[in-house]
Amino acid sequence: MTVPARAARGTTVLSDRAVRKVAQGAAREAVSGTGREVSASAIVAGRRATVGVRVTLPFPAQLSAVTRGVQGHVTARTHALTGLHIPPVRVVVSRLAPHGIPLPQSAADADTGSQVRSPRRWWSQRRGPTSLVLALTAAATIVCTADVLRVHVCGEWPGQWRLTALRWLAGHGPGDPTVTSAAVGAMLVGAWLVVLALTPGNRRQLMLAASRDGWCAQIDRSAVAALIRDAVGEVPGLHHITVRCGRRTVKVRGEVAFGDCASARDQARQTVTDTVAACGLVRPVRLRLALRPADAWQALAGADKDIAPRNGPSTTQEDA
């Protein structure tokens, strides 16, 4: 009995979609207790696949341990089921669920405490701009190719749009305002594409600090804002809390319904600082805290004089 050569036996190729489904199932196993859907992406190149997942994590929980557990579980599970080499999976925390989930086995390991280099920001896949450019290019190419084939194969006259375009181009030179405007527009579009190619994007996510080699995770700014809003809402006397989380600044606004304004302000300030520190972000963010008394609030003896009345300007503090 002769065994056929390797080339004769054929080659098994896994598509990006198949690997994405496997990674999505592995991520769903890791966060099955949240009751929310997860999403994944995968790019296969030979025997190597780059995988990223978006998950919902429990609230409250230790983001570092849970995210590392999800990363390890998805990496190991995808490698075991596909046989491909899977680098450390990129994990994006898209939401925080108000209940806990069981940690995967790989998340039970304690942090080593060693200092490692934090990963750089991920580069966006630019699916929207890429799809737009491809669609416009494909449409123009198909129309031009169809007209050329119709002329050379079927022996018909060129389309009226081609003749009109040629006549217009023959009668307008570089100094024509319309040609100049079109050139400026093309230059702006080219500059926009260059900026997209040279910048990482993903401005809606914040990088988490690396706790060990191979660590790579991000968290949505909306998830950080929700975490801060829930934490500040536990401060006695505060309500109508609004939080806006940017890449460099966290803005917190609210009203003091009762109690000492100075005490409420200090507690809210400390709560936001502790919450942001617990997220473990790579870059620290500045805090802008603005509180004002509610309509029914009245100053007590010895109350804070720095916070203005309802109709006056609110007190704002900034922390590095």
Side-chain angles (χ1 to χ4, degrees):
M1 178 179 179
T2 59
V3 179
R6 181 178 180 180
R9 295 198 302 266
T11 304
T12 301
V13 179
L14 294 178
S15 64
D16 296 350
R17 182 179 180 182
V19 178
R20 176 173 59 84
K21 290 292 185 180
V22 172
Q24 186 173 355
R28 188 176 292 111
E29 293 176 357
V31 296
S32 58
T34 61
R36 297 179 182 270
E37 292 295 329
V38 300
S39 60
S41 62
I43 300 177
V44 180
R47 299 295 301 172
R48 179 188 178 95
T50 303
V51 179
V53 296
R54 298 177 64 91
V55 298
T56 298
L57 292 188
F59 167 72
Q62 186 180 0
L63 289 178
S64 176
V66 178
T67 309
R68 189 170 65 248
V70 173
Q71 182 192 43
H73 181 79
V74 175
T75 301
R77 187 67 169 164
T78 306
H79 170 70
L81 294 178
T82 63
L84 300 176
H85 173 67
I86 310 295
V89 174
R90 303 188 307 177
V91 181
V92 174
V93 181
S94 58
R95 295 179 183 176
L96 296 175
H99 48 78
I101 61 174
L103 295 181
Q105 292 295 328
S106 56
D109 300 331
D111 292 337
T112 59
S114 58
Q115 298 293 331
V116 295
R117 184 177 181 180
S118 297
R120 296 182 177 180
R121 288 177 56 193
W122 300 346
W123 284 69
S124 174
Q125 297 181 0
R126 311 289 191 186
R127 294 181 177 178
T130 302
S131 301
L132 178 61
V133 172
L134 289 178
L136 295 177
T137 304
T141 303
I142 291 174
V143 171
C144 294
T145 303
D147 192 70
V148 170
L149 292 177
R150 188 171 60 86
V151 172
H152 292 279
V153 176
C154 301
E156 300 181 2
W157 285 94
Q160 187 63 34
W161 63 272
R162 286 181 60 190
L163 298 177
T164 303
L166 289 176
R167 294 192 188 100
W168 188 89
L169 292 175
H172 294 77
D176 189 82
T178 305
V179 177
T180 304
S181 301
V184 172
M187 181 183 66
L188 294 178
V189 172
W192 175 60
L193 295 177
V194 171
V195 170
L196 292 181
L198 299 180
T199 55
N202 282 330
R203 299 180 63 86
R204 295 182 179 180
Q205 283 86 39
L206 299 175
M207 291 296 301
L208 298 179
S211 58
R212 66 178 184 179
D213 293 336
W215 168 265
C216 187
Q218 287 183 336
I219 183 171
D220 276 7
R221 293 186 301 180
S222 60
V224 177
L227 182 63
I228 294 175
R229 183 172 57 251
D230 293 339
V232 176
E234 298 295 330
V235 177
L238 296 185
H239 67 172
H240 295 167
I241 306 298
T242 59
V243 180
R244 294 185 60 184
C245 181
R247 296 184 59 244
R248 296 290 183 269
T249 306
V250 174
K251 300 179 181 179
V252 181
R253 297 180 179 273
E255 294 183 351
V256 181
F258 61 87
D260 184 16
C261 291
S263 176
R265 182 188 60 196
D266 294 339
Q267 291 184 43
R269 177 173 174 270
Q270 186 62 39
T271 299
V272 175
T273 302
D274 295 341
T275 304
V276 174
C279 293
L281 303 179
V282 172
R283 296 184 177 180
V285 294
R286 294 180 301 173
L287 168 63
R288 293 186 178 179
L289 178 63
L291 300 178
R292 62 172 59 194
D295 292 333
W297 181 88
Q298 294 182 357
L300 304 176
D304 184 17
K305 303 300 183 181
D306 294 333
I307 295 186
R310 174 76 176 177
N311 296 329
S314 58
T315 298
T316 302
Q317 294 185 357
E318 295 186 8
D319 293 337

